[in-house]
Amino acid sequence: MPLIRSWIAAANAPGCPFPLNNLPLGVFTHPNRYGARCGVAIGDQILDATGLESAGLLRLSDRPVLAAPSWNALMACGPRAWGDLRAQLTTLLQADAPERASVEPFLHPMDAADLHLPFSVAEYTDFYASLHHATNVGTMFRGAENALPPNWLHIPIGYNGRASSVVVSGTDIRRPWGQLKGRDTQTPHFAPSARFDLELELGAIVGQPSQGPITVAEADDMIFGYVLLNDWSARDIQAWEYQPLGPFQAKSTATTLSPWIVMRAALEPFRVAAPRRVLPLLPHLADCGPMHYDIALDVVLEAEGRPPVTISRTNARELYYSAAQQLAHHTTSGCLMRVGDLLGSGTISGPQAGNRGSLLELSWGGETPIDIGGVSRSFLEDGDTVTLRGAAMADEYQIGFGPCSGRVLPALKDPYAR
Ligand code: MN
């Protein structure tokens, strides 16, 4: 896996998250310039892809596909156009490219740009696909004997979330109010969540529609790319509401995405086989090739006025079900999938205590608060900033995702004040 060298020096630097091998897709604005545009991260720059297309330097279809500030239109064009985009960008940006002089005016410094959601989220489904996470949570809620529900080893458990909850990294998150129930009563009260949490997840973006049930292999071909995803979760609201229909308001406050779509093609060298199957999967969900990814992930928590502390390190290969299996399962009923559908992997936890992807697990339901540089945390406090980070690491380069970050604001004093 060699580095593809670029004439943009920063893209060749060791440790750069955005080398020419990556080419992740975002939407950006620059202060005092034009409105939001499609951009590609390269080194420390953003390449104005909308501008390149209208100047005739990128040709992806017989009509413009990057005129609107979202990558949905390109997704809808299909995998051949996805490959064309990467091939043309690589040609324009690689070292000694004769097009350098005509491309240079379309570069903008990344540190001066504002980043927006890179695609319009059609619908959002969240899963529960890490065996360690499901075992930890099940043990806390139902005891070690009944930790895994009987269906868990046969289907990727999921629920339909809210596309309207999805926000881009950097958006502040207001602590929600909800119905909460104390331990020793059956009577709830209405108050700000006291057990507000993060969930470290990988988000898969569906780039093609489905017309009916699809195979795992077909599902894999339909996935456009991946982002980091923080599924903010109010555990006290969840505990009271989740039976029998699953999470509802506990998960509807916000879902934060990292700003760059890492295309599936950039992750090809990092494919790994699925973990050992505890029970064989039914044929329609069976593994048909390496569809998991080796992506190092971590969670950084920064209390207000204190240095950031890494509270968890794990890897996307810890997921039991791949996004392709989740997508295939999603269509078994005939459920139609759309361009721009977002699938959350579910919290990614590894086998060790330091690999847990939520505070619920890290503090074991609040029984063992963790220390973050001299202050303790069971759940998130007001002013805390959570940042998810991820990168697939090769010898010569890495495929970075860019941070997925959000700060917790205090609950409103009165949510019904007018
Ligand atoms: Mn989740």
Side-chain angles (χ1 to χ4, degrees):
M1 286 178 271
L3 170 74
I4 308 173
R5 299 190 71 82
S6 170
W7 49 262
I8 297 163
N12 307 324
C16 173
F18 307 124
L20 188 44
N21 304 63
N22 192 347
L23 296 173
L25 313 178
V27 167
F28 74 107
T29 46
H30 259 279
N32 308 321
R33 290 185 89 102
Y34 31 69
R37 291 180 168 220
C38 295
V40 179
I42 177 75
D44 55 357
Q45 304 287 310
I46 299 175
L47 181 65
D48 173 6
T50 298
L52 271 187
E53 187 188 48
S54 57
L57 290 164
L58 261 186
R59 193 172 163 78
L60 305 166
S61 170
D62 48 13
R63 60 194 162 76
V65 294
L66 304 181
S70 112
W71 288 91
N72 296 57
L74 176 78
M75 291 185 215
C77 291
R80 179 173 295 183
W82 309 349
D84 284 349
L85 173 74
R86 293 182 62 80
Q88 290 178 38
L89 289 173
T90 302
T91 300
L92 295 175
L93 295 171
Q94 67 190 353
D96 306 322
E99 296 88 349
R100 174 174 178 166
S102 47
V103 171
E104 259 173 339
F106 295 95
L107 289 173
H108 303 283
M110 190 179 293
D111 57 13
D114 288 321
L115 298 173
H116 310 279
L117 269 185
F119 67 109
S120 170
V121 181
E123 303 198 44
Y124 164 47
T125 307
D126 195 36
F127 287 90
Y128 188 50
S130 152
L131 181 58
H132 299 293
H133 172 71
T135 304
N136 288 339
V137 172
T139 301
M140 271 182 265
F141 284 27
R142 291 180 294 273
E145 297 295 295
N146 304 305
L148 276 190
N151 53 9
W152 201 93
L153 293 168
H154 300 282
I155 51 175
I157 308 291
Y159 65 93
N160 288 306
R162 293 286 305 175
S164 64
S165 75
V166 180
V167 297
V168 73
S169 177
T171 306
D172 288 338
I173 308 300
R174 178 76 64 184
R175 178 183 299 275
W177 285 66
Q179 277 205 15
L180 321 174
K181 189 187 75 65
R183 227 173 241 271
D184 306 315
T185 168
Q186 282 303 316
T187 311
H189 60 287
F190 188 64
S193 170
R195 290 160 73 93
F196 198 49
D197 198 359
L198 64 102
E199 289 192 338
L200 166 62
E201 304 194 18
L202 197 64
I205 299 160
V206 179
Q208 287 283 279
S210 68
Q211 265 80 45
I214 56 171
T215 66
V216 175
E218 288 166 341
D220 193 58
D221 289 340
M222 283 168 53
I223 295 172
F224 181 69
Y226 291 88
V227 289
L228 303 179
L229 185 154
N230 183 355
D231 179 26
W232 302 91
S233 298
R235 302 300 182 192
D236 36 11
I237 298 174
Q238 188 177 355
W240 172 234
E241 75 176 3
Y242 88 103
Q243 288 177 315
L245 288 185
F248 189 53
Q249 292 304 292
K251 306 279 193 169
S252 302
T253 300
T255 307
T256 302
L257 302 188
S258 53
W260 298 107
I261 302 171
V262 174
M263 292 179 76
R264 177 165 51 86
L267 292 170
E268 286 301 319
F270 304 94
R271 281 184 184 261
V272 291
R276 189 185 66 83
R277 297 307 178 187
V278 180
L279 293 174
L281 293 166
L282 288 173
H284 69 289
L285 291 181
D287 297 298
C288 57
M291 292 191 184
H292 289 64
Y293 295 96
D294 181 359
I295 303 169
L297 301 167
D298 57 36
V299 182
V300 176
L301 183 54
E302 182 176 354
E304 206 161 17
R306 291 183 172 266
V309 176
T310 301
I311 60 171
S312 178
R313 292 177 206 276
T314 182
N315 192 296
R317 66 191 304 166
E318 298 291 351
L319 288 166
Y320 193 80
Y321 294 103
S322 64
Q325 284 166 321
Q326 293 173 334
L327 178 54
H329 172 62
H330 211 316
T331 66
T332 49
S333 60
C335 175
L336 301 180
M337 303 303 291
R338 301 179 181 177
V339 172
D341 273 352
L342 173 66
L343 308 183
S345 62
T347 307
I348 305 172
S349 294
Q352 308 296 327
N355 311 140
R356 295 169 179 165
S358 68
L359 282 170
L360 176 69
E361 297 163 86
L362 287 161
S363 74
W364 207 254
E367 285 177 18
T368 54
I370 58 165
D371 177 85
I372 53 161
V375 292
S376 91
R377 282 290 181 277
S378 293
F379 294 95
L380 295 169
E381 302 285 339
D382 295 342
D384 285 356
T385 298
V386 176
T387 302
L388 313 181
R389 300 187 307 192
M393 313 294 286
D395 288 341
E396 290 191 15
Y397 68 92
Q398 57 175 276
I399 299 293
F401 280 75
C404 176
S405 195
R407 181 177 53 142
V408 179
L409 299 183
L412 294 171
K413 288 218 155 44
D414 173 3
Y416 298 107
R418 295 288 183 269

